[in-house]
């Protein structure tokens, strides 16, 4: 029986009320006696709408460029425009000393820790991707960092700003190469030693920071350690992609029962440059050029097509070399320093005859038509390692000696173009396969192995810096101070590097050992 004044609810009313309650997230009701609970639905829906507006954050046009959106529940990453990219890379291009591993450390310090452009996971994914492709990894990273912010043009802006200081300086050095390169002044050697010490400290800081966040279990720690040990002991251009592939296979097996969906922080990549169709065309274009220049060189002589021969030598090298500058140096040396093998015959007497016998007294001497001399090569390499930007800018120095401005264009563009085309061509496909389950399971192994490569660089660069330093013990002290400055006191990496150079000059002036 229903009391007086109470309206009886029919089936349609109950169904409507039930729908409202479910939308609001309130517990369902089953009887007419529970119908009064439906009155809570409107309030709950209003609260739900308020919470959704809070999750969405402020309107897009109210978010200041370069400042992460304020949201308590989601990771905060900055969205920057062309001016933000320009400000970041304009300074970085002139202060990125220390070689590719040090550049990775600076990128991580600047764009992950300080500016918060992306998560650690996305950063190491891009690092692993670059390590698996031919070309200079730090250069490919510089383009990738701009691409994920503003697409194709953003990548061109960040990449060019990162490359051009070293390109200009090494071109000038190539035109003015002289005795001062073969026997550099003591203050210049000391400044370079100080820069190198802090650069190694940056690499160590990046390795520790990344491993602490991404090597969280025994399997990934094992991958990191094995990668570091093998890379240090066995130097080969194929070792980088091979180790990364093995690490990925290992975690595919060990993580096969886990549902490793992409995390909210790692999924916040909105731009990948070209479309998959455009990326495919670019990859085909890279391969067509590779085939074309090889055929062209084999069907022409050097004197009649010097530009083609220069470009072919560096383009092929840039298309097949994994691991960056240190790996590419022996191959470039073989390409530009030409040798002849000269054997001295041994004359012996037999009776009334004097005759020559085959001799093992053979030496390799520089050919008269060598592109550059060994002395020029080594002197330029020493200067390139003290310059900011990629070590691949060494190609501009060689090109200037070989053929002036045309030589710079042929050698520098030939060495850099393959890696740049490959990163632009592959990123659209990475956007697709990074969501595949097998890739998500392989990713911890990819990341841990890539971090192992960074650890190997710490020891390789550290020992090398110790050996070539005019004051080895002081270099270690400078490196320790640099590490504490950037890791404990968050000193801006370019300032720390330049301070290391000043400390190097002070160490030389005070006759430190």
């Amino acid at each position: 029986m229903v009391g007086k004044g109470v309206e009886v609810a029919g089936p349609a009313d109950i169904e409507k009320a039930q729908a409202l309650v479910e939308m609001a997230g309130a517990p369902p009701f089953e009887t007419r006696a529970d119908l009064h609970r439906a009155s809570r639905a409107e309030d709950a829906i209003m609260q739900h709408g308020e919470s959704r507006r809070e999750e969405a954050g402020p309107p897009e046009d109210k978010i200041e460029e370069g400042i992460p959106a304020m949201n308590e529940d989601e990771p905060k990453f900055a969205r920057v425009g062309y001016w933000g990219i320009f400000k970041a890379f304009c300074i970085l291009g002139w202060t990125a000393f220390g070689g590719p591993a040090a550049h990775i450390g600076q990128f991580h310090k600047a764009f992950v820790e300080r500016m918060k452009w992306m998560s650690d996971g996305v950063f190491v994914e891009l690092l692993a991707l670059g390590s698996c492709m031919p070309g200079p990894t730090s250069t490919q990273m510089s383009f990738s960092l701009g691409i994920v912010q503003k697409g194709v043009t953003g990548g061109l802006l960040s990449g060019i700003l990162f490359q051009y200081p070293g390109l200009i300086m090494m071109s000038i050095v190539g035109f003015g190469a002289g005795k001062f390169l073969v026997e550099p002044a003591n203050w210049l050697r000391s400044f370079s030693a100080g820069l190198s010490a802090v650069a190694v400290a940056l690499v160590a800081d990046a390795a520790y920071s990344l491993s602490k966040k991404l090597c969280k279990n025994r399997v990934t720690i094992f991958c990191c350690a094995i990668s570091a040990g093998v890379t240090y002991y066995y130097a080969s251009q194929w070792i980088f992609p091979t180790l990364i592939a093995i690490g990925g296979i290992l975690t595919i097996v060990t993580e096969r029962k886990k549902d490793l969906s992409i995390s909210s922080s790692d999924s916040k990549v909105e731009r990948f440059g070209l479309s998959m169709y455009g990326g495919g065309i670019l990859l085909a274009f890279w391969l067509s050029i590779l085939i074309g220049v090889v055929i062209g060189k084999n069907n022409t002589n050097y004197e009649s097509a010097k530009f083609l021969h220069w470009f072919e030598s560096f383009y092929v090298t840039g298309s097949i070399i994994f691991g960056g500058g240190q790996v590419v140096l022996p191959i470039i040396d073989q390409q530009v320093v030409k040798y002849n093998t000269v054997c001295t015959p041994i004359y012996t007497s037999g009776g009334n005859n004097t005759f020559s016998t085959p001799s093992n007294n053979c030496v390799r001497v520089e050919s008269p038509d060598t592109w550059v001399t060994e002395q020029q090569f080594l002197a330029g390499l020493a200067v390139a390692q003290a310059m900011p930007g990629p070590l691949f800018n060494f190609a501009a120095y060689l090109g200037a000696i070989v053929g002036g401005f045309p030589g710079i264009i042929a050698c520098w563009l030939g060495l850099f173009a393959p890696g740049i085309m490959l990163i632009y061509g592959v990123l659209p496909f990475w956007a697709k396969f990074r969501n595949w389950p097998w890739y998500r399971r392989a990713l911890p192994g990819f990341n841990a192995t890539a971090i192992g490569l960074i650890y190997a660089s710490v020891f390789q660069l550290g020992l090398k810096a110790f050996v070539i330093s005019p004051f080895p013990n002081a270099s270690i002290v400078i490196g320790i101070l640099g590490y504490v400055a950037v890791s404990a006191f968050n000193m801006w990496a370019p300032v720390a590097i330049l301070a290391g150079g000043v400390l190097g000059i002070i160490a030389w002036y005070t006759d430190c050992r």
Side-chain angles (χ1 to χ4, degrees):
M1 177 178 294
V2 180
K4 185 177 179 181
V6 178
E7 184 177 353
V8 179
D13 298 317
I14 295 176
E15 183 178 350
K16 180 179 178 181
Q18 176 70 62
L20 289 171
V21 172
E22 290 178 355
M23 288 176 59
F29 59 87
E30 298 177 356
T31 67
R32 289 193 178 97
D34 296 327
L35 182 58
H36 69 278
R37 288 168 33 207
S39 63
R40 304 195 325 243
E42 184 176 357
D43 293 337
I45 292 172
M46 293 177 65
Q47 294 174 3
H48 182 67
E50 289 294 328
S51 66
R52 289 300 294 262
R53 283 191 290 274
E54 291 174 2
E55 290 176 6
E60 184 73 20
D61 57 353
K62 296 294 182 63
I63 298 177
E64 185 178 352
E65 184 180 273
I67 304 299
M70 297 303 295
N71 184 352
E72 296 297 330
D73 299 326
E74 296 292 334
K76 305 176 183 68
F77 297 109
R79 294 188 295 273
V80 303
Y82 295 112
W83 176 240
I85 296 173
F86 178 85
K87 287 190 297 183
F89 278 91
C90 185
I91 298 175
L92 189 60
W94 289 97
T95 57
F97 297 96
H103 301 159
I104 300 302
Q106 287 182 267
F107 289 159
H108 182 264
K109 199 75 178 175
F111 300 111
V112 177
E113 296 184 7
R114 189 165 63 88
M115 300 183 195
K116 299 189 183 303
W117 282 17
M118 61 184 63
S119 68
D120 284 291
V122 172
F123 182 86
V124 180
E125 276 191 73
L126 292 173
L127 174 60
L129 191 67
S131 300
C132 287
M133 292 189 298
T137 303
S138 63
T139 296
Q140 291 168 329
M141 284 289 291
S142 72
F143 280 88
S144 299
L145 291 167
I147 290 171
V148 299
Q149 290 289 343
K150 294 297 291 183
V152 173
T153 51
L156 289 174
L157 179 61
S158 62
I160 290 172
L161 288 173
F162 184 64
Q163 318 301 321
Y164 87 92
L167 166 63
I168 292 174
M169 288 190 283
M170 288 307 297
S171 298
I172 293 173
V173 170
F175 281 120
K179 185 177 180 179
F180 75 96
L181 288 180
V182 180
E183 299 177 0
N186 289 330
W187 71 266
L188 181 59
R189 292 182 61 223
S190 303
F191 182 75
S192 177
L195 295 178
S196 300
V198 179
V200 175
L202 282 175
V203 181
D205 178 61
Y208 174 73
S209 177
L210 289 170
S211 61
K212 184 172 65 174
K213 296 175 182 178
L214 297 174
C215 298
K216 297 181 178 179
N217 55 46
R218 292 181 178 180
V219 174
T220 51
I221 293 174
F222 174 79
C223 289
C224 180
I226 293 298
S227 171
V230 173
T231 302
Y232 181 83
Y233 185 81
Y234 185 73
S236 169
Q237 60 169 313
W238 304 106
I239 201 66
F240 303 105
T242 302
L243 286 172
I244 289 175
I246 293 173
I249 293 171
L250 184 60
T251 53
I252 285 177
V253 175
T254 59
E255 308 287 342
R256 63 187 181 278
K257 295 182 180 180
K258 293 184 180 181
D259 181 18
L260 298 177
S261 58
I262 191 168
S263 66
S264 59
S265 61
D266 293 348
S267 65
K268 293 186 176 300
V269 181
E270 299 177 355
R271 298 176 183 271
F272 301 93
L274 300 170
S275 65
M276 291 181 66
Y277 179 75
I281 291 177
L282 188 60
L283 293 175
F285 184 61
W286 158 74
L287 185 59
S288 299
I289 295 177
L290 180 62
I291 296 172
V293 295
V294 171
I295 295 174
K297 178 184 177 180
N298 291 333
N299 288 277
T300 58
N301 61 65
Y302 175 73
E303 292 299 328
S304 64
K306 289 184 178 180
F307 187 93
L308 174 62
H309 283 243
W310 300 333
F311 183 78
E312 187 271 347
S313 293
F314 283 83
Y315 190 88
V316 171
T317 301
S319 296
I320 64 173
I321 288 298
F322 296 86
Q326 304 296 340
V327 180
V328 79
L329 291 176
I331 295 181
I332 294 180
D333 188 32
Q334 294 174 7
Q335 296 282 352
V336 299
V337 181
K338 309 293 185 180
Y339 285 95
N340 292 330
T341 300
V342 177
C343 296
T344 303
I346 299 176
Y347 293 94
T348 58
S349 299
N352 295 325
N353 299 319
T354 301
F355 57 90
S356 63
T357 60
S359 171
N360 292 325
N361 187 27
C362 297
V363 294
R364 296 176 71 238
V365 297
E366 288 180 4
S367 171
D369 60 351
T370 184
W371 293 2
V372 300
T373 66
E374 189 71 42
Q375 190 178 40
Q376 288 173 325
F377 184 92
L378 295 175
L381 176 59
V383 174
Q385 291 177 319
M387 293 290 180
L391 188 57
F392 272 38
N393 281 324
F394 183 41
Y397 163 84
L398 297 174
I401 295 177
V402 168
F405 282 112
I408 293 173
I409 295 172
C411 298
W412 187 87
L413 190 62
L415 194 60
F416 274 98
I420 296 171
M421 285 193 287
L422 285 171
I423 194 64
Y424 268 100
V426 170
L427 272 180
F429 296 93
W430 173 67
K432 183 74 174 178
F433 64 69
R434 72 189 298 257
N435 295 298
W436 293 350
W438 68 266
Y439 177 80
R440 302 308 308 174
R441 293 186 177 91
L443 190 58
F446 290 159
N447 292 344
T449 308
I451 295 169
L453 303 182
I454 301 177
Y455 270 112
S457 297
V458 174
F459 291 95
Q460 290 170 337
L461 296 176
L463 293 174
K464 182 177 180 181
F466 180 84
V467 170
I468 67 175
S469 173
F471 33 77
N473 292 337
S475 286
I476 292 178
V477 174
I478 294 172
I480 293 172
L481 294 175
Y483 181 84
V484 173
V486 298
S487 63
F489 295 98
N490 294 320
M491 180 180 285
W492 194 24
V495 174
I497 290 175
L498 293 177
V502 173
L503 289 176
I505 294 178
I506 294 174
W508 160 69
Y509 187 77
T510 56
D511 199 24
C512 291
R513 55 186 179 85

